[in-house]
């Protein structure tokens, strides 16, 4: 191992050790399941803002999005970024304060599925159970994508075995999350968002310098047909321009719909200590998201310019998602200080991965131990034993996710896009109607969840492969079908009770 790689490794080890220490410190504040899964609703506005967005963006921000821009130009990546930016702002604007208030009033709900059952007085916990099952279905592969990103990072950088690198990363993530729960995840996410920002700034400045300046980057992008426009895309295999139809633009913007149903993001809204501080959180979060998405797309463009000048090897397929890793490796060859900076960049990639994986693990384990088994545990176990069950559940889910992540050829972008569609369609419409439609009932909510989740699979594997006008991101049709089912079923079934409507009016 070279001196540069040793410096990188030291920087990463310091970072990983710091995350484990945060988990240990936060473990002292966990006294029951509510603390473990929602931090006692004590988050400050900055931690709420940055942990929500760090847990949102994941390795997709530093690997998936730059890789997409590197391969095909700014259209796909750009329209996706625009959809996400709009979705972020609207979610904070209309959902955040209301769900914080409503989850507290409706039985002090600590998970999204439990809120649905409490909101609609679902005494049989059908909504809670079905919601928990969908969380497990979609969060395990989502978490696996994070583990896979870590494995790709170390494998491509140090030439080590992919599976071994992935497992070590997973152990660290599971370690601090199991120790500190939601508070540890949120605190580390706040730290990780800062490291991610620093990493992107370093890559952006260094990449432009190596590529020959901004003008050289633009000139290179303009030389590729369709690469630098939002209405066409570049075909890297044939080297020709391809049209980017309106239906594709709509599909990419539809990514923003997913925010309304993301449990790990909505939990941040639910956990803030003072709902009146959500305005500050919204401004901070939206600003960070817009800047970060723009820089991530530009890093892909800069990376291609570096490849075309010979500074980096040309990347194809899913290897394009390692573009920031390759830039970091190049930076490390310029001396000890640059090597430590490269280590910071790679720690940033780890941060982006960990900040999502820890939140996903918590959401998935809460779905099992609190939503599916909560009634049994509450009757048969003490607070201490319930906490133990929470942690064991989290570890078991991590093992399954690690098994799914054992394939080194999996695409981070593709895995995330499917899981994102799943959550957006299953929970997004239900959240919106539960918060804003007085007439909605539990039958409508159940129909919305099942139809949305089912349609994601149907559209992804049966309809979308037909191509043409059917080639729409599965989130959009599934979201619309779910919304329609909620309205239709709610109207043809019994209206909610006076108790439910009075609580709605109070909120």
């Amino acid at each position: 191992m070279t001196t540069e790689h040793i410096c990188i490794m030291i920087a990463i080890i310091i970072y990983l050790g710091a995350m484990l220490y945060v988990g240990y410190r936060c473990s002292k504040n966990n006294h029951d399941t509510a603390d473990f899964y929602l931090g006692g609703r004590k988050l400050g506005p900055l931690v709420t803002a940055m942990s929500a967005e760090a847990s949102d963006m994941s390795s997709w921000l530093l690997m998936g999005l730059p890789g997409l821009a590197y391969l095909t130009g700014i259209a796909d990546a750009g329209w996706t970024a625009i959809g996400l930016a709009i979705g972020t702002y609207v979610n904070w604007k209309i959902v955040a304060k209301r769900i914080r208030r409503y989850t507290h009033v409706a039985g002090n709900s600590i998970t999204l599925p439990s809120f649905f059952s409490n909101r609609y007085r679902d005494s049989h916990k059908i909504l809670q159970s079905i919601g928990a099952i969908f969380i497990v279905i979609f969060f395990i592969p989502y978490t696996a994508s994070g583990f896979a990103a870590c494995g790709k990072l170390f494998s491509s950088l140090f030439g080590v075995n992919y599976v071994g690198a992935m497992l070590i990363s997973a152990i660290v993530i599971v370690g601090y999350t199991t120790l500190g729960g939601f508070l540890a995840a949120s605190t580390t996410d706040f730290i990780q968002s800062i490291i991610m920002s620093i990493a992107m700034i370093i890559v952006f400045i260094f990449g432009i310098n190596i590529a020959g300046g901004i003008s050289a980057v633009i000139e290179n992008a303009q030389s590729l047909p369709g690469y630098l426009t939002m209405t066409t895309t570049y075909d890297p295999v044939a080297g020709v321009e391809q049209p980017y139809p309106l239906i594709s633009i709509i599909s990419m913007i539809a990514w923003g719909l997913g925010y309304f149903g993301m449990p790990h993001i909505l939990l941040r809204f639910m956990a803030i200590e003072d709902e009146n501080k959500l305005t500050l959180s919204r401004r901070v979060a939206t600003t960070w998201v817009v800047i970060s998405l723009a820089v991530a797309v530009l890093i892909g463009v800069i990376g291609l310019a570096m490849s075309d000048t010979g500074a980096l090897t040309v990347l194809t397929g899913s290897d394009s998602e390692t573009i920031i890793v390759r830039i970091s490796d190049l930076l490390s060859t310029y001396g000890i200080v640059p090597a430590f900076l490269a280590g910071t960049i790679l720690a940033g990639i780890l941060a982006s991965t960990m900040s999502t994986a820890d939140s996903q693990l918590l959401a998935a384990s809460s779905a099992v131990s609190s939503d599916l088994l909560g009634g049994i545990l509450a009757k048969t176990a003490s607070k201490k034993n319930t906490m133990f069950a929470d942690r064991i559940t989290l570890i078991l889910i991590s093992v399954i996710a690690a098994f799914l992540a054992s394939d080194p050829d999996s695409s981070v972008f593709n895995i995330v896009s499917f899981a994102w569609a799943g959550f957006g369609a299953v929970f997004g419409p239900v959240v919106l109607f539960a918060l804003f439609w007085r007439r909605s009932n539990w039958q409508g909510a159940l129909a919305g969840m099942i139809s949305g989740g089912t349609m994601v699979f149907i559209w992804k594997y049966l309809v979308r492969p037909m191509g043409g006008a059917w080639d729409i991101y599965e989130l959009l049709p599934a979201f619309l079908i779910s919304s329609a089912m909620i309205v239709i079923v709610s109207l043809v079934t019994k209206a909610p009770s006076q108790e439910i409507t009075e609580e709605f009016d109070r909120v």
Side-chain angles (χ1 to χ4, degrees):
M1 186 177 290
T2 65
T3 303
E4 292 80 8
H5 282 169
I6 292 174
C7 292
I8 291 174
M9 187 63 73
I10 290 173
I12 292 176
I13 289 173
I14 291 173
Y15 164 73
L16 294 177
M19 296 302 99
L20 287 171
Y21 177 72
V22 170
Y24 167 73
R25 292 284 296 180
C26 291
S27 66
K28 300 180 183 299
N29 297 310
N30 289 322
H31 306 295
D32 55 28
T33 295
D35 288 336
F36 189 73
Y37 286 130
L38 207 57
R41 298 186 191 263
K42 296 176 182 177
L43 293 191
L46 292 180
V47 174
T48 298
M50 298 310 296
S51 66
E53 299 317 318
S55 66
D56 160 27
M57 289 303 168
S58 73
S59 55
W60 180 86
L61 178 67
L62 295 184
M63 297 184 75
L65 194 61
L68 188 63
Y70 179 97
L71 281 182
T72 63
I74 68 170
D76 253 343
W79 286 115
T80 303
I82 290 171
L84 291 175
I86 295 172
T88 297
Y89 176 79
V90 175
N91 200 30
W92 279 96
K93 181 68 175 178
I94 70 171
V95 172
K97 184 177 290 188
R98 198 172 182 91
I99 200 170
R100 168 62 175 86
R101 186 181 303 157
Y102 215 149
T103 53
H104 183 68
V105 171
N108 195 26
S109 309
I110 64 171
T111 67
L112 199 58
S114 68
F115 165 62
F116 295 147
S117 282
N118 291 339
R119 156 72 171 86
Y120 292 111
R121 302 300 190 270
D122 170 25
S123 58
H124 297 293
K125 305 297 182 183
I126 297 174
L127 293 176
Q128 191 166 342
S129 300
I130 297 297
I133 291 170
F134 274 118
I135 283 179
V136 172
I137 289 173
F138 289 113
F139 256 148
I140 288 181
Y142 207 156
T143 304
S145 74
F147 291 170
C150 290
K152 285 185 178 184
L153 169 64
F154 288 112
S155 178
S156 63
L157 183 64
F158 300 112
V160 297
N161 177 263
Y162 164 82
V163 174
M166 181 270 295
L167 289 175
I168 292 173
S169 303
I171 288 170
V172 173
I173 297 170
V174 173
Y176 73 74
T177 307
T178 304
L179 282 171
F182 182 83
L183 189 58
S186 297
T187 304
T188 53
D189 288 354
F190 175 70
I191 297 170
Q192 289 158 350
S193 68
I194 296 173
I195 296 175
M196 289 162 63
S197 301
I198 294 172
M200 286 193 291
I201 291 171
I202 294 173
V203 170
F204 184 78
I205 295 174
F206 175 73
I208 287 178
N209 183 57
I210 295 300
I214 295 177
S215 59
V217 172
I218 296 175
E219 183 179 340
N220 179 76
Q222 288 176 333
S223 68
L224 304 173
Y227 188 88
L228 208 57
T229 74
M230 295 290 283
T231 56
T232 57
T233 187
Y234 173 66
D235 184 344
V237 177
V240 297
E241 179 179 3
Q242 296 286 354
Y244 199 75
L246 178 62
I247 197 70
S248 296
I249 294 175
I250 295 173
S251 287
M252 294 299 100
I253 293 179
W255 273 73
L257 293 174
Y259 279 106
F260 303 124
M262 294 297 134
H264 55 300
I265 298 173
L266 298 175
L267 283 175
R268 265 60 182 189
F269 301 161
M270 295 159 59
I272 194 168
E273 186 172 20
D274 183 357
E275 67 174 55
N276 293 318
K277 294 181 179 178
L278 282 167
T279 300
L280 173 61
S281 298
R282 182 186 74 240
R283 292 169 180 166
V284 172
T286 305
T287 300
W288 186 83
V289 164
V290 170
I291 295 174
S292 298
L293 289 171
V295 171
V297 173
L298 291 174
I299 285 174
V301 178
I302 293 167
L304 184 63
M306 295 174 69
S307 293
D308 290 344
T309 60
L312 295 175
T313 57
V314 177
L315 304 175
T316 59
S318 63
D319 285 343
S320 65
E321 295 178 344
T322 65
I323 181 63
I324 288 185
V325 179
R326 306 304 174 95
I327 294 175
S328 303
D329 200 23
L330 178 62
L331 174 61
S332 69
T333 63
Y334 283 76
I336 293 179
V337 173
F340 276 109
L341 291 177
T344 302
I345 295 171
L346 298 172
I349 298 176
L350 279 177
S352 67
T353 301
M354 290 179 168
S355 60
T356 300
D358 54 21
S359 301
Q360 293 163 346
L361 283 174
L362 278 172
S365 64
S366 70
V368 176
S369 65
S370 181
D371 294 321
L372 288 177
L373 305 177
I376 299 173
L377 292 174
K379 295 177 182 177
T380 61
S382 64
K383 285 186 177 181
K384 182 177 180 181
N385 289 337
T386 301
M387 288 282 292
F388 178 75
D390 293 338
R391 291 185 166 108
I392 291 298
T393 303
L394 191 149
I395 292 172
L396 291 175
I397 288 174
S398 303
V399 171
I400 299 173
F403 175 77
L404 294 177
S406 59
D407 178 12
D409 295 325
S410 58
S411 168
V412 172
F413 186 88
N414 289 336
I415 295 174
V416 170
S417 69
F418 181 67
W420 185 268
F423 284 120
V426 171
F427 296 124
V430 181
V431 167
L432 293 176
F433 282 100
L435 295 179
F436 296 103
W437 192 31
R438 194 171 185 265
R439 179 60 177 79
S440 64
N441 59 21
W442 76 266
Q443 294 97 327
L446 180 62
M449 278 197 288
I450 294 175
S451 61
T454 303
M455 183 54 65
V456 166
F457 284 94
I458 292 174
W459 200 276
K460 170 75 173 180
Y461 295 107
L462 297 179
V463 179
R464 195 172 184 183
M466 294 167 61
W470 303 106
D471 188 18
I472 304 172
Y473 181 34
E474 54 270 18
L475 171 55
L476 180 57
F479 190 97
L480 295 176
I481 290 294
S482 175
S483 299
M485 290 299 294
I486 293 173
V487 173
I488 294 171
V489 174
S490 291
L491 291 177
V492 299
T493 52
K494 186 179 178 180
S497 66
Q498 183 178 352
E499 179 188 3
I500 295 175
T501 55
E502 286 179 350
E503 181 180 83
F504 180 91
D505 294 337
R506 282 203 311 276
V507 172

